[in-house]
Amino acid sequence: MKKPIKGSCTTVLVGKKASIDGSTMISRNDDGHEALDPQRFVVVNPEDQPRDYQAVISGVQIKLPNNPMRYTSMPNSLLTNGIWPAAGINSENITMSATETITTNPRIQGLDPFVAGGIGEEDIVTLVLPYIHSAKEGVERLGAILTEFGTYEPNGIAFSDQDSVWWLETIGGHHWAAVRIPDDAYVVAPNRMNIDHFDFNSADTLYSADLKALIDDNNLNPDLNGYNLRHIFGSASIKDTVYNNPRTWYGQQYFNPEIKQDPRDHDLPFICHANRKISIEDVKFVLSSHFENTEYDPYGSAPEDVKTLFRPIGINRNHNVHILQVRNNVPAEIAGVHWLAYGANTFNTVVPFYANVNDTPGSYKDATGTFDLNNMYWLSCTTALLGDTNYDFYVDMRNTFELEAMSAYHEIQNATDKAFADHKADATSFLEAANAKLANESLTRQTKLLGEMVISGSEHMKLRYNLND
């Protein structure tokens, strides 16, 4: 088995009654261990889906069904360590994001150790998303695969359909537990075991068959009452207090500023209820955030040891951010929207691509390991790098860009939604044309932003002298 590659992501989940338009949303920053790792946005059609799957990292071989559905996917451009699809929406508007690397502890590892030849983040979307017809079915399929083949790492995985959002966390090598997120709730999940209070008798939970017996028979529960899976199977480390817990704290403060909490607290709640309806823009802000308006902002004026104390959500290792939305107020053919942006999230915008297509725009699909400003991945990374050199100087340009770009994307989306009834017969080609228009708009606006930053920033280079020749 090759050495596993660890990511370090942040997830936000939103139930349909918690969102501003009645849609379900699952979203995640796909962060890596390196600052740059080119990403692609593609469609995997049934004829391109493997039937005999073999992982690159673990070598596990799994026979897959003969009836895959089409799905969007976000694989790595460089396949040295496998596909790593990250997230997608299938042709029945079922969504999946995999994975959020989470934590574990030696008590469960001593009973159910990781499986060197099992599955991991590299594999999970490919093995599950093309075959599921509901979010709950996604949990059940993945659970069965985990039970049979095991996993070599701890992960959290999100699923949604038009009605529900589910969150699954792996436990040890073969065990797992999942929760249906209440319709009126949201979740902010960092790189730790996140599920807390767990009801084995609820219709809104699923779990490996012997999970409760595993806990009870092996004295794994430290609590006097109930079952808190974070306490039982997760960590409560010093690293969590600076790397994980503060991200949950900041997201929860954004959605619930009236609730005062400690950013280091190990027991910040898993299920939360916002004080307002949540929009796409809200989710994107949280997933781009770096402790703005606090002393912990790396771009702030606090002493260096304070402003770099906590790991921010928006970070140089953001490779993509995706928000997978299933809408309930439009026809099924246009309900699935794969919002997407590349690179560090401080200087990008998410674009609402329709998922019911057979292909994706070239500027979002064709990234390679070669630097190319005609590709959105490299263009976004370049803009973020320049913005990082003088954030306070460039941030107003970023804010104007974000407002104008998101307004333009919403305008295109609204026009496409309204015109769809007249194009049902050629729905796929109509939506591919809309996606092309969105991609062109995004590429043009991001290029314009970079140009404005270069032109204005050149006046402030240190290599200058005030007397003219």
PDB file of all heavy atoms in Angstrom, residues 12 43 55 62 67 79-80 113 211 269 312 341 366 391-392 404:
ATOM      1  N   VAL A  12     -19.787  22.375   5.437  1.00  0.00           N
ATOM      2  CA  VAL A  12     -20.996  23.047   5.908  1.00  0.00           C
ATOM      3  C   VAL A  12     -22.196  22.346   5.283  1.00  0.00           C
ATOM      4  O   VAL A  12     -22.237  22.125   4.068  1.00  0.00           O
ATOM      5  CB  VAL A  12     -21.010  24.543   5.529  1.00  0.00           C
ATOM      6  CG1 VAL A  12     -22.337  25.188   5.934  1.00  0.00           C
ATOM      7  CG2 VAL A  12     -19.842  25.283   6.175  1.00  0.00           C
ATOM      8  N   VAL A  43     -17.780  15.551 -16.168  1.00  0.00           N
ATOM      9  CA  VAL A  43     -18.935  14.664 -16.077  1.00  0.00           C
ATOM     10  C   VAL A  43     -18.461  13.257 -16.400  1.00  0.00           C
ATOM     11  O   VAL A  43     -17.768  13.035 -17.404  1.00  0.00           O
ATOM     12  CB  VAL A  43     -20.048  15.087 -17.048  1.00  0.00           C
ATOM     13  CG1 VAL A  43     -21.184  14.055 -17.037  1.00  0.00           C
ATOM     14  CG2 VAL A  43     -20.595  16.468 -16.683  1.00  0.00           C
ATOM     15  N   ALA A  55      -8.004   0.644  -6.582  1.00  0.00           N
ATOM     16  CA  ALA A  55      -7.450   1.851  -5.999  1.00  0.00           C
ATOM     17  C   ALA A  55      -5.950   1.920  -6.252  1.00  0.00           C
ATOM     18  O   ALA A  55      -5.273   0.891  -6.327  1.00  0.00           O
ATOM     19  CB  ALA A  55      -7.716   1.881  -4.494  1.00  0.00           C
ATOM     20  N   ILE A  62     -12.524  -3.804  -6.347  1.00  0.00           N
ATOM     21  CA  ILE A  62     -13.953  -3.924  -6.066  1.00  0.00           C
ATOM     22  C   ILE A  62     -14.716  -4.016  -7.382  1.00  0.00           C
ATOM     23  O   ILE A  62     -14.550  -3.179  -8.275  1.00  0.00           O
ATOM     24  CB  ILE A  62     -14.457  -2.721  -5.240  1.00  0.00           C
ATOM     25  CG1 ILE A  62     -13.731  -2.651  -3.893  1.00  0.00           C
ATOM     26  CG2 ILE A  62     -15.970  -2.797  -5.031  1.00  0.00           C
ATOM     27  CD1 ILE A  62     -14.125  -1.475  -3.026  1.00  0.00           C
ATOM     28  N   ASN A  67     -24.846  -0.799 -13.844  1.00  0.00           N
ATOM     29  CA  ASN A  67     -25.865   0.205 -14.172  1.00  0.00           C
ATOM     30  C   ASN A  67     -25.548   1.573 -13.569  1.00  0.00           C
ATOM     31  O   ASN A  67     -26.388   2.152 -12.879  1.00  0.00           O
ATOM     32  CB  ASN A  67     -27.228  -0.272 -13.669  1.00  0.00           C
ATOM     33  CG  ASN A  67     -27.237  -0.528 -12.164  1.00  0.00           C
ATOM     34  OD1 ASN A  67     -26.192  -0.723 -11.546  1.00  0.00           O
ATOM     35  ND2 ASN A  67     -28.428  -0.517 -11.579  1.00  0.00           N
ATOM     36  N   LEU A  79      -3.005  12.247 -11.761  1.00  0.00           N
ATOM     37  CA  LEU A  79      -3.605  11.045 -11.180  1.00  0.00           C
ATOM     38  C   LEU A  79      -2.587  10.120 -10.529  1.00  0.00           C
ATOM     39  O   LEU A  79      -2.815   8.911 -10.419  1.00  0.00           O
ATOM     40  CB  LEU A  79      -4.390  10.301 -12.265  1.00  0.00           C
ATOM     41  CG  LEU A  79      -5.518  11.118 -12.923  1.00  0.00           C
ATOM     42  CD1 LEU A  79      -6.223  10.286 -13.985  1.00  0.00           C
ATOM     43  CD2 LEU A  79      -6.503  11.628 -11.876  1.00  0.00           C
ATOM     44  N   THR A  80      -1.484  10.673 -10.069  1.00  0.00           N
ATOM     45  CA  THR A  80      -0.437   9.875  -9.436  1.00  0.00           C
ATOM     46  C   THR A  80      -0.966   9.056  -8.269  1.00  0.00           C
ATOM     47  O   THR A  80      -0.561   7.908  -8.069  1.00  0.00           O
ATOM     48  CB  THR A  80       0.689  10.792  -8.931  1.00  0.00           C
ATOM     49  OG1 THR A  80       1.105  11.638  -9.999  1.00  0.00           O
ATOM     50  CG2 THR A  80       1.853   9.979  -8.414  1.00  0.00           C
ATOM     51  N   PRO A 113      -8.772  -1.851  14.191  1.00  0.00           N
ATOM     52  CA  PRO A 113      -7.724  -1.068  13.538  1.00  0.00           C
ATOM     53  C   PRO A 113      -8.023  -0.807  12.068  1.00  0.00           C
ATOM     54  O   PRO A 113      -8.818  -1.512  11.443  1.00  0.00           O
ATOM     55  CB  PRO A 113      -6.473  -1.935  13.711  1.00  0.00           C
ATOM     56  CG  PRO A 113      -6.992  -3.318  13.925  1.00  0.00           C
ATOM     57  CD  PRO A 113      -8.301  -3.171  14.628  1.00  0.00           C
ATOM     58  N   LEU A 211     -22.477  -1.710  16.413  1.00  0.00           N
ATOM     59  CA  LEU A 211     -21.811  -0.530  16.973  1.00  0.00           C
ATOM     60  C   LEU A 211     -22.131  -0.345  18.457  1.00  0.00           C
ATOM     61  O   LEU A 211     -21.238  -0.098  19.266  1.00  0.00           O
ATOM     62  CB  LEU A 211     -22.194   0.729  16.192  1.00  0.00           C
ATOM     63  CG  LEU A 211     -21.431   1.992  16.588  1.00  0.00           C
ATOM     64  CD1 LEU A 211     -19.949   1.835  16.278  1.00  0.00           C
ATOM     65  CD2 LEU A 211     -22.000   3.214  15.877  1.00  0.00           C
ATOM     66  N   PRO A 269     -21.515  22.311  19.673  1.00  0.00           N
ATOM     67  CA  PRO A 269     -22.537  21.373  19.195  1.00  0.00           C
ATOM     68  C   PRO A 269     -22.377  20.999  17.735  1.00  0.00           C
ATOM     69  O   PRO A 269     -21.887  21.786  16.917  1.00  0.00           O
ATOM     70  CB  PRO A 269     -23.841  22.135  19.443  1.00  0.00           C
ATOM     71  CG  PRO A 269     -23.454  23.570  19.440  1.00  0.00           C
ATOM     72  CD  PRO A 269     -22.076  23.627  20.049  1.00  0.00           C
ATOM     73  N   PRO A 312      -7.304  28.936  10.063  1.00  0.00           N
ATOM     74  CA  PRO A 312      -8.520  29.485   9.455  1.00  0.00           C
ATOM     75  C   PRO A 312      -9.189  28.498   8.508  1.00  0.00           C
ATOM     76  O   PRO A 312      -8.589  27.504   8.090  1.00  0.00           O
ATOM     77  CB  PRO A 312      -8.005  30.714   8.695  1.00  0.00           C
ATOM     78  CG  PRO A 312      -6.585  30.372   8.369  1.00  0.00           C
ATOM     79  CD  PRO A 312      -6.085  29.515   9.494  1.00  0.00           C
ATOM     80  N   ALA A 341     -15.732  26.822  -7.140  1.00  0.00           N
ATOM     81  CA  ALA A 341     -14.624  27.757  -7.323  1.00  0.00           C
ATOM     82  C   ALA A 341     -13.329  27.021  -7.014  1.00  0.00           C
ATOM     83  O   ALA A 341     -13.321  26.032  -6.274  1.00  0.00           O
ATOM     84  CB  ALA A 341     -14.773  28.978  -6.422  1.00  0.00           C
ATOM     85  N   ASP A 366     -10.051  21.505 -18.019  1.00  0.00           N
ATOM     86  CA  ASP A 366      -8.826  21.096 -18.707  1.00  0.00           C
ATOM     87  C   ASP A 366      -7.528  21.452 -17.991  1.00  0.00           C
ATOM     88  O   ASP A 366      -6.466  21.506 -18.614  1.00  0.00           O
ATOM     89  CB  ASP A 366      -8.805  21.706 -20.119  1.00  0.00           C
ATOM     90  CG  ASP A 366      -9.939  21.183 -20.987  1.00  0.00           C
ATOM     91  OD1 ASP A 366     -10.419  20.055 -20.713  1.00  0.00           O
ATOM     92  OD2 ASP A 366     -10.350  21.889 -21.925  1.00  0.00           O
ATOM     93  N   TYR A 391      -3.310  42.211   1.482  1.00  0.00           N
ATOM     94  CA  TYR A 391      -4.749  41.954   1.573  1.00  0.00           C
ATOM     95  C   TYR A 391      -5.550  43.235   1.782  1.00  0.00           C
ATOM     96  O   TYR A 391      -6.563  43.453   1.120  1.00  0.00           O
ATOM     97  CB  TYR A 391      -5.017  40.965   2.708  1.00  0.00           C
ATOM     98  CG  TYR A 391      -6.474  40.614   2.879  1.00  0.00           C
ATOM     99  CD1 TYR A 391      -7.073  39.659   2.071  1.00  0.00           C
ATOM    100  CD2 TYR A 391      -7.241  41.237   3.864  1.00  0.00           C
ATOM    101  CE1 TYR A 391      -8.407  39.327   2.227  1.00  0.00           C
ATOM    102  CE2 TYR A 391      -8.582  40.906   4.035  1.00  0.00           C
ATOM    103  CZ  TYR A 391      -9.156  39.962   3.205  1.00  0.00           C
ATOM    104  OH  TYR A 391     -10.489  39.650   3.360  1.00  0.00           O
ATOM    105  N   ASP A 392      -5.116  44.098   2.683  1.00  0.00           N
ATOM    106  CA  ASP A 392      -5.877  45.318   2.970  1.00  0.00           C
ATOM    107  C   ASP A 392      -5.991  46.207   1.737  1.00  0.00           C
ATOM    108  O   ASP A 392      -7.024  46.862   1.531  1.00  0.00           O
ATOM    109  CB  ASP A 392      -5.220  46.102   4.108  1.00  0.00           C
ATOM    110  CG  ASP A 392      -5.397  45.426   5.459  1.00  0.00           C
ATOM    111  OD1 ASP A 392      -6.302  44.577   5.571  1.00  0.00           O
ATOM    112  OD2 ASP A 392      -4.636  45.738   6.384  1.00  0.00           O
ATOM    113  N   GLU A 404     -20.290  41.995  -8.009  1.00  0.00           N
ATOM    114  CA  GLU A 404     -20.673  42.101  -9.420  1.00  0.00           C
ATOM    115  C   GLU A 404     -20.700  40.739 -10.101  1.00  0.00           C
ATOM    116  O   GLU A 404     -21.592  40.459 -10.908  1.00  0.00           O
ATOM    117  CB  GLU A 404     -19.713  43.051 -10.138  1.00  0.00           C
ATOM    118  CG  GLU A 404     -19.832  44.497  -9.649  1.00  0.00           C
ATOM    119  CD  GLU A 404     -18.856  45.436 -10.324  1.00  0.00           C
ATOM    120  OE1 GLU A 404     -17.926  44.932 -11.027  1.00  0.00           O
ATOM    121  OE2 GLU A 404     -18.995  46.662 -10.149  1.00  0.00           O
TER     122      GLU A 404
END
